[in-house]
Amino acid sequence: MDLYQKVIIITGASEGIGAALVQELSHHDTQLVLCSRSRSKLESLRLPANSKKLIIPTDVSNIDDVTYLIESTIQHFGRIDILINNAGIGYSSTVEHINQNDISKLLSVNLFGPLYTMQQVIPVMRKQGGGLIINISSMISRIATSGSGGYRASKMALEAISDAARLELKKDNIRVITAYPGLTSTNFFNNSIGC
């Protein structure tokens, strides 16, 4: 895919996989929209001097934040070519001890966040003739492990949404890809919720 001047939204861009994507994509003459809950972390990312970027603090579990993200991107760049739904949180708990508040927070970020961004970006991409949506899942959705039931459920639900969207949007030239990273060297586990 030719990335030249493509407008790319990356959620969860402040650290981990998101920050690595920002670093890589900034070397391809792209126009990046960086979002996470922390403006200061986004501003501390070191990018090439000529990088075209827009920083929008966003909590993807808040539909008003997502609306502002999409509207601001269109106002600034005029289009959205690629959406990378990377924002996510971890959760570790046995099924017996899954906490209702914790799993609600988990689903609000890992499932509803990507759903909200997809729902808002699909009409934009359809109007402009196509686009690409990349949803970051996890290898854990392929492998059952003790203590991962809640987290795995959130990623499997995202997978189901992605699979349906892939079929529904093919006619609109909108591709939907699901990525399955394994263990990575990030602060993911330090930022996880649960026991």
Side-chain angles (χ1 to χ4, degrees):
M1 179 180 206
D2 180 12
L3 295 174
Y4 179 72
Q5 294 298 300
K6 291 288 191 278
V7 177
I8 305 172
I9 296 176
I10 305 172
T11 70
S14 62
E15 56 185 313
I17 291 172
L21 285 167
V22 170
Q23 293 299 323
E24 178 61 31
L25 292 169
S26 68
H27 295 286
H28 292 275
D29 292 320
T30 54
Q31 302 177 93
L32 300 176
V33 181
L34 314 180
C35 58
S36 78
R37 290 173 297 167
S38 172
R39 174 180 284 280
S40 61
K41 286 183 180 180
L42 292 171
E43 289 175 344
S44 70
L45 294 174
R46 296 178 185 264
L47 301 178
N50 61 345
S51 296
K52 294 178 184 170
K53 68 177 188 286
L54 177 63
I55 292 175
I56 305 176
T58 306
D59 177 351
V60 296
S61 68
N62 182 318
I63 197 161
D64 292 333
D65 278 13
V66 172
T67 299
Y68 181 77
L69 167 68
I70 302 305
E71 288 177 351
S72 297
T73 300
I74 294 299
Q75 184 176 7
H76 190 83
F77 289 120
R79 60 183 295 114
I80 300 170
D81 298 295
I82 301 171
L83 166 65
I84 303 177
N85 276 316
N86 172 69
I89 54 174
Y91 181 56
S92 178
S93 175
T94 61
V95 170
E96 178 184 7
H97 296 105
I98 288 176
N99 176 281
Q100 183 178 354
N101 290 332
D102 288 345
I103 196 136
S104 293
K105 181 177 181 181
L106 177 78
L107 291 171
S108 72
V109 175
N110 291 3
L111 174 62
F112 295 119
L115 177 61
Y116 296 157
T117 55
M118 289 174 67
Q119 288 176 326
Q120 300 232 7
V121 85
I122 286 167
V124 173
M125 289 182 171
R126 181 181 290 124
K127 184 177 179 181
Q128 67 195 24
L132 172 62
I133 298 169
I134 301 172
N135 291 326
I136 306 297
S137 182
S138 170
M139 279 304 296
I140 200 75
S141 68
R142 303 288 194 223
I143 306 165
T145 61
S146 177
S148 70
Y151 177 70
R152 186 168 186 247
S154 73
K155 290 302 188 176
M156 291 181 82
L158 175 60
E159 206 173 312
I161 293 284
S162 301
D163 289 346
R166 185 175 304 113
L167 298 174
E168 295 163 1
L169 299 173
K170 185 175 181 179
K171 68 184 184 309
D172 298 307
N173 194 33
I174 301 171
R175 297 186 317 164
V176 180
I177 295 173
T178 307
Y180 300 91
L183 284 176
T184 55
S185 179
T186 68
N187 289 323
F188 179 78
F189 292 105
N190 296 334
N191 297 330
S192 294
I193 57 176
C195 52

